[in-house]
Amino acid sequence: MTVLVPRLVRARALMVLFAAPMTLVPAQVLAAQQSEGVSEVALRASAPAEWLTTGRDYAETHYSPLDQIDADNVEQLGLAWSWIIPKSGARIEATPVVSDGVMYATGPKSFVLALDAGTGEKKWQWDPGIPDEREGGPSICCGDVNRGVALYGDKVFVGLLDGRLVALARDTGLVVWTVQTTPRGADYSVTGAPRIVKGNVIIGNGGAEYGVRGYVTAYDAETGDQVWRSYTVPGNPADGFENEAMRAAAETWTGEWWIVGGGGTVWDGMAYDPEADLLYVGTGNGSPWNRDTRSPGGGDNLYLSSILALNPDSGEPVWHYQTTPGDDWDYTATQPLMLLDLTIAGRERKVIVQAPKNGFFYVVDRLTGELISASAFADDLTWAVGVDVDTGRPIETPEARYGRTGQGVYLSPGPGGAHNWPPMSWNPDTGLVYLPAQNSSSYYAKADEFEYRQGVWNTGTARGSRESRPERPALTGPRTVLLAVDPATNTEAWRVVSDGAHGGTMSTGGNLVFRGSGDRLIAHDAGTGAQLWSATVGQGTGTPMTYELDGVQYVSIAAGRRVGRVYTFALDGLPVR
Ligand code: CA
């Protein structure tokens, strides 16, 4: 650990510069709430100096108004402190959060850490002791990852790889309560950050490659009691439907989809609009991938690959927008969701935006679910030629339905998607969304035979022999690229080609975009994309965030696969060693 005492730091009247999209809460109300820890009021206000929730605010903008570090002085950024995560081997995907001078983050095997945000000194650490898959640990579809914690009151909440949701005491890291949010022994895992809405902890799960039925659950933050559970796809009609939405959804499925589970897991993106009182979640791919196996008579298979607006008190769906009807390609819509208030064609619109795996950037009315616009952001996109704004449906290419044609085909994007977990960010001054995008292709073919087997991937697809496949088309776009998207016009403003795998992005009031890329933390001019600064951190980065403590603005990122570290930067810091 290296600790730096910063030199002269300018005092800032931050409240004047505060430009959050949500309701402003007076400072005295915030102060009154502080004794109770992180409150609903604090979450709504998203205090400028702090980073209280994974996306910083309920709108999940990953934007901070802090501007002590700006485009003019960012080159003076140096290491303030770093902390080695005493567990390794996993991809780091967490966004740290900071409240009352303490940073909380997660690492490999759902490890939780609490550090003094000013010095990096350890307050506590908690290791849930999850064994490796080879040693009887949980089956995990897509790697040992965790995208972070939630704070509420005097507790820290974390979802674990083995499907548990745990509340820890903020002061000590001691376990307050634990619930198993998934059926024991089933092929679910939890990698997403919990969210807090109206005193409840909201948590989803993953595992659709194995064959599971997606759902999201709300637990009382104080007691861990289940408040509601909302499924994303229908179960066996013979068992009765949980709600009207499931009854309607079942009409878009055929065959005996419930045996494999159907999929539609909620493993990442969520957002909450306190004014509309709607909770938004993104749902995952079909289980198995191949629709002709999953639902032999076709159909849209609601609510796979969809944005769902839920009643936060009951979990019941209010509206849905399906990005990929009848998903055949692992095109999840679990990617990060963001709520924006935009002027579009002269009209004030409250929108939700998403860049799901399928390569289109969607702008949807967040009150009604009406599609406003959808534009291709991926350079390589061959499963569809566009989206019909009137119907909200993609215009698929004839070769895309490989199960129906019986012809294996290379399609873009591949199952990794044109955008995956790395959060995009927003900047209200530039009006741009910063999207870590990628180009890929993959071979899709229907498996001749399919039999569901627990504990292994059940995709219903085949790789075929190399000789049996057509020639793989070359990609036209870069493998990874940072895109600045104007969501009001749904057009690309600029791009920066990358040379490494993406971490997430964060934007600030200092006209900056920070992002993880390869083994670096990079700062760009938010208006132009010009690279202004970078530092080498560990290979494989999470998502940067920023906070202010005792008059100093810090920027932090967790990174590193072989050795994970939390790196925290400030003006006039030291070079990374
Ligand atoms: Ca998947």
Side-chain angles (χ1 to χ4, degrees):
M1 186 180 71
T2 33
V3 180
L4 164 98
V5 180
R7 288 193 233 130
L8 182 69
V9 177
R10 293 164 292 167
R12 287 271 169 178
L14 283 160
M15 288 311 285
V16 179
L17 303 164
F18 182 33
M22 295 297 172
T23 322
L24 190 72
V25 176
Q28 61 270 28
V29 178
L30 282 177
Q33 296 281 339
Q34 221 142 47
S35 56
E36 299 157 26
V38 175
S39 66
E40 190 78 22
V41 176
L43 285 169
R44 285 188 191 217
S46 50
E50 306 211 295
W51 191 289
L52 295 180
T53 180
T54 191
R56 207 193 83 88
D57 45 39
Y58 271 139
E60 307 263 339
T61 60
H62 289 263
Y63 169 77
S64 165
L66 294 177
D67 66 352
Q68 185 178 93
I69 300 163
D70 63 25
D72 294 326
N73 64 21
V74 66
E75 62 185 7
Q76 297 162 35
L77 212 53
L79 195 64
W81 56 261
S82 76
W83 191 77
I84 294 175
I85 301 169
K87 217 167 169 77
S88 62
R91 291 201 309 274
I92 303 267
E93 294 187 358
T95 310
V97 295
V98 168
S99 169
D100 289 338
V102 183
M103 172 182 292
Y104 306 87
T106 57
K109 292 280 171 16
S110 316
F111 183 90
V112 184
L113 54 99
L115 307 175
D116 182 310
T119 64
E121 203 174 326
K122 184 180 80 179
K123 308 274 274 189
W124 52 259
Q125 64 189 49
W126 182 70
D127 184 347
I130 297 170
D132 204 68
E133 189 164 352
R134 288 170 308 224
E135 291 148 13
S139 4
I140 35 176
C141 125
C142 309
D144 167 18
V145 295
N146 188 287
R147 282 176 293 277
V149 300
L151 302 177
Y152 188 66
D154 56 1
K155 298 182 188 64
V156 181
F157 303 91
V158 61
L160 309 185
L161 213 48
D162 60 11
R164 281 178 288 165
L165 176 69
V166 178
L168 304 171
R170 261 181 75 172
D171 289 347
T172 60
L174 296 174
V175 175
V176 180
W177 56 253
T178 302
V179 291
Q180 183 73 34
T181 76
T182 57
R184 268 184 207 282
D187 290 329
Y188 291 94
S189 52
V190 177
T191 60
R195 307 301 203 277
I196 305 296
V197 174
K198 300 171 92 171
N200 293 331
V201 190
I202 315 293
I203 190 76
N205 48 58
E209 270 57 52
Y210 284 92
V212 298
R213 184 184 180 200
Y215 61 86
V216 57
T217 315
Y219 295 92
D220 184 293
E222 205 50 48
T223 62
D225 292 337
Q226 183 175 318
V227 180
W228 53 257
R229 173 163 292 175
S230 191
Y231 287 93
T232 61
V233 295
N236 186 345
D239 298 336
F241 297 109
E242 289 86 359
N243 55 39
E244 189 47 42
M246 289 300 107
R247 182 187 309 281
E251 289 171 14
T252 67
W253 293 72
T254 66
E256 297 182 316
W257 69 86
W258 56 88
I259 293 171
V260 185
T265 50
V266 179
W267 56 259
D268 194 16
M270 294 189 208
Y272 174 60
D273 180 342
E275 285 167 28
D277 199 22
L278 290 173
L279 165 67
Y280 305 94
V281 302
T283 71
N285 56 277
S287 213
W289 289 357
N290 176 254
R291 185 180 62 171
D292 298 84
T293 303
R294 187 177 69 233
S295 179
D300 286 350
N301 295 178
L302 293 170
Y303 301 94
L304 295 180
S305 306
S306 299
I307 301 170
L308 292 179
L310 307 179
N311 176 331
D313 300 321
S314 66
E316 298 214 7
V318 176
W319 61 253
H320 72 273
Y321 175 76
Q322 190 173 38
T323 61
T324 308
D327 168 48
D328 241 341
W329 311 276
D330 189 18
Y331 289 164
T332 67
T334 47
Q335 279 54 56
L337 298 163
M338 187 188 286
L339 311 183
L340 299 174
D341 294 350
L342 301 175
T343 305
I344 299 175
R347 202 175 141 197
E348 299 299 311
R349 303 296 298 258
K350 290 183 180 297
V351 307
I352 183 166
V353 302
Q354 190 189 40
K357 278 188 182 179
N358 76 14
F360 292 98
F361 189 93
Y362 293 87
V363 179
V364 173
D365 185 315
R366 73 171 179 266
L367 304 180
T368 65
E370 176 206 352
L371 178 67
I372 296 171
S373 69
S375 295
F377 67 87
D379 301 296
D380 288 274
L381 204 166
T382 60
W383 75 279
V385 296
V387 177
D388 182 328
V389 177
D390 294 331
T391 63
R393 300 179 70 87
I395 304 154
E396 294 174 11
T397 51
E399 65 274 21
R401 294 280 173 190
Y402 57 91
R404 195 182 290 161
T405 63
Q407 288 291 315
V409 62
Y410 276 101
L411 293 170
S412 291
H419 176 217
N420 204 299
W421 65 270
M424 36 189 209
S425 52
W426 159 251
N427 190 307
D429 300 322
T430 62
L432 298 174
V433 170
Y434 306 99
L435 164 61
Q438 56 195 20
N439 290 297
S440 64
S441 70
S442 187
Y443 182 69
Y444 291 89
K446 183 174 185 285
D448 294 332
E449 312 247 319
F450 176 77
E451 193 188 345
Y452 168 63
R453 285 170 56 216
Q454 207 191 344
V456 298
W457 274 41
N458 288 279
T459 68
T461 60
R463 298 302 301 163
S465 64
R466 185 166 294 199
E467 303 76 56
S468 69
R469 289 182 231 154
E471 198 181 338
R472 185 181 200 131
L475 292 176
T476 61
R479 290 242 169 225
T480 54
V481 56
L482 175 68
L483 302 178
V485 175
D486 180 344
T489 56
N490 209 337
T491 53
E492 183 180 315
W494 48 256
R495 61 169 48 201
V496 176
V497 175
S498 302
D499 55 10
H502 284 306
T505 76
M506 180 262 292
S507 191
T508 71
N511 190 36
L512 291 168
V513 180
F514 288 88
R515 63 171 179 136
S517 175
D519 65 353
R520 288 185 303 158
L521 174 64
I522 305 175
H524 299 269
D525 181 301
T528 66
Q531 184 175 318
L532 302 176
W533 172 86
S534 82
T536 302
V537 292
Q539 183 69 43
T541 70
T543 301
M545 51 76 69
T546 188
Y547 57 97
E548 189 217 43
L549 194 62
D550 299 330
V552 181
Q553 184 185 354
Y554 296 92
V555 173
S556 270
I557 190 167
R561 190 171 184 126
R562 200 175 50 79
V563 179
R565 266 167 101 175
V566 180
Y567 296 84
T568 298
F569 298 85
L571 292 177
D572 305 324
L574 303 169
V576 176
R577 285 173 299 174

